[in-house]
């Protein structure tokens, strides 16, 4: 289920605060990736994410975002000494894998962290928050 929203200005522009964009990077464990397909667990799993993404969109701070297919669908490429090395699956054997992301506009890091803390994955894995680089100056 993709998480996507048309870009629109956040609520901060109305009060003269120049918002920054932050990427909320949602990590999930293998167990949570499995819940996506489990007939008994998929409803609550997707329900929590739908409510969370809906709240971000309704607040007017969501710029864009998407959920990602599980690590089994990944392909990793590295170039070493001019040769391509292609591997099916994620490169790292990690306990948490990238599950999706959302770009939000927020007045500061604390506001972005508040949204990150509300993510379902914050309760069982982690959410990384990074400022988005501004476009280069002309």
């Amino acid at each position: 289920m993709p998480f996507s929203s048309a870009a629109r200005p956040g609520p901060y522009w109305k009060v003269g605060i120049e918002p920054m964009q932050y990427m909320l990077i949602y990590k999930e464990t293998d167990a949570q990736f499995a819940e996506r397909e489990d007939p008994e667990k998929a409803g609550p799993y997707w329900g929590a994410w739908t409510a969370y993404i809906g709240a971000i969109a309704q607040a007017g701070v969501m710029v864009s975002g998407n959920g990602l297919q599980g690590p089994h669908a990944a392909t990793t490429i590295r170039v070493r000494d001019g040769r391509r090395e292609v591997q099916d699956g994620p490169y790292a054997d990690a306990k948490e894998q990238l599950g999706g992301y959302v770009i939000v506009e927020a007045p500061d890091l604390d506001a972005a962290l508040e949204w990150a803390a509300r993510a379902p994955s914050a309760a069982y894995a982690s959410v990384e928050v990074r400022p988005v680089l501004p476009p280069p100056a002309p």
Side-chain angles (χ1 to χ4, degrees):
M1 169 181 283
F3 307 131
S4 201
S5 174
R8 58 182 171 202
Y12 311 108
W13 66 271
K14 296 176 187 171
V15 292
I17 297 172
E18 186 67 33
M20 287 197 51
Q21 291 187 351
Y22 294 90
M23 178 179 272
L24 310 183
I25 304 166
Y26 306 113
K27 308 281 182 78
E28 296 196 309
T29 65
D30 288 338
Q32 273 64 51
F33 279 109
E35 284 185 15
R36 294 175 171 194
E37 306 299 325
D38 184 320
E40 292 180 15
K41 297 179 179 177
Y45 172 91
W46 289 116
W49 278 105
T50 299
Y52 171 69
I53 298 300
I56 292 175
Q58 186 173 16
V61 298
M62 185 172 175
V63 175
S64 66
N66 285 292
L68 300 174
Q69 292 186 23
H72 68 281
T75 303
T76 302
I77 185 166
R78 293 184 297 291
V79 178
R80 301 292 184 264
D81 298 319
R83 291 189 37 215
R84 291 168 42 160
E85 299 174 9
V86 179
Q87 172 185 335
D88 289 336
Y91 173 69
D93 185 23
K95 293 182 181 179
E96 298 177 355
Q97 298 288 341
L98 180 60
Y101 69 93
V102 165
I103 305 285
V104 297
E105 283 191 338
D108 54 36
L109 177 60
D110 288 336
L113 290 172
E114 286 297 320
W115 282 110
R118 293 175 59 181
S121 62
Y124 53 74
S126 65
V127 180
E128 183 177 338
V129 178
R130 289 194 200 182
V132 174
L133 283 173

